[in-house]
Amino acid sequence: MLVSRPVPTLAASSTLPITPGQTEGPFYPVSFPTDMDADLVRVQGQKAQAVGLVAHISGRVLDRCGSLVAGAMVEIWQCDAHGIYNHPRAPGQKRFDTGFQGYGRTQVDATGRYAFRTIRPVAYPGRTPHIHFKVHAPGVGRLTTQLYVADEPQNATDGVLNAIRDRDARASVIMRFEDAGEIEAGALKGTFDIVLDV
Ligand SMILES: [Fe+2]
């Protein structure tokens, strides 16, 4: 039996999948750290760098047509290597790694690209490893989401990740880390392009 299928329009076939929005969660900073640059592994005034595996995460901020979104600001926040957030309501707050910045922000450059030096995220009770992202593109759009790590066993049961019902959309927020020895000994790297619904 012949089944008629809708023919994709040129517009539909030339657009990128939109990065799905996800909850901000309870630990967005209530006050910003003095040092909130794009290097979360080093904190001004702290001798020790962050505990954890260094990870270089970069990508572009795009619109659905694949054009670069100029002027976008990207924020990230995550727990330290022991699963503790730098937030007054976070469990274990007194044990937060003072060598870890916990939050950072950066503007995209002229090529629409952002880059962070941070640590590979770890699991904490009830959540698979993830990094929170917020993107603000003034006059264009904004997005709050979370980024995950490929092959983490807890991805299969994480409630926030699996609330993204569409398989391709879910896959778009799961990143594979690779060795980044050419950038920094022992470090990892990964690419996460963010597509705004604009
Ligand atoms: Fe979180």
Side-chain angles (χ1 to χ4, degrees), residues 24-27 77-79 85 124 127-128 130-132 146:
E24 176 174 299
F27 300 129
W77 67 103
Q78 65 185 101
C79 62
Y85 277 92
Y124 58 85
R127 291 302 316 279
T128 196
H130 61 279
I131 299 175
H132 296 264
Q146 301 183 28

Side-chain angles (χ1 to χ4, degrees), residues 69-167:
V69 175
M73 182 181 78
V74 182
E75 300 173 278
I76 64 169
W77 67 103
Q78 65 185 101
C79 62
D80 70 10
H82 307 297
I84 300 170
Y85 277 92
N86 184 15
H87 189 283
R89 289 193 297 279
Q93 184 57 193
K94 291 201 174 83
R95 291 182 287 111
F96 180 75
D97 175 10
T98 53
F100 182 52
Q101 199 170 288
Y103 168 90
R105 61 166 64 167
T106 190
Q107 294 283 137
V108 296
D109 65 14
T111 67
R113 189 167 288 278
Y114 71 87
F116 288 100
R117 180 172 180 252
T118 186
I119 60 170
R120 185 197 191 285
V122 301
Y124 58 85
R127 291 302 316 279
T128 196
H130 61 279
I131 299 175
H132 296 264
F133 273 73
K134 254 195 205 189
V135 180
H136 312 250
V140 179
R142 56 201 299 150
L143 175 72
T144 301
T145 192
Q146 301 183 28
L147 173 67
Y148 301 84
V149 181
D151 299 332
E152 279 288 337
Q154 290 185 68
N155 285 352
T157 53
D158 187 87
V160 179
L161 174 57
N162 290 286
I164 305 169
R165 304 305 301 172
D166 180 79
R167 193 175 60 178

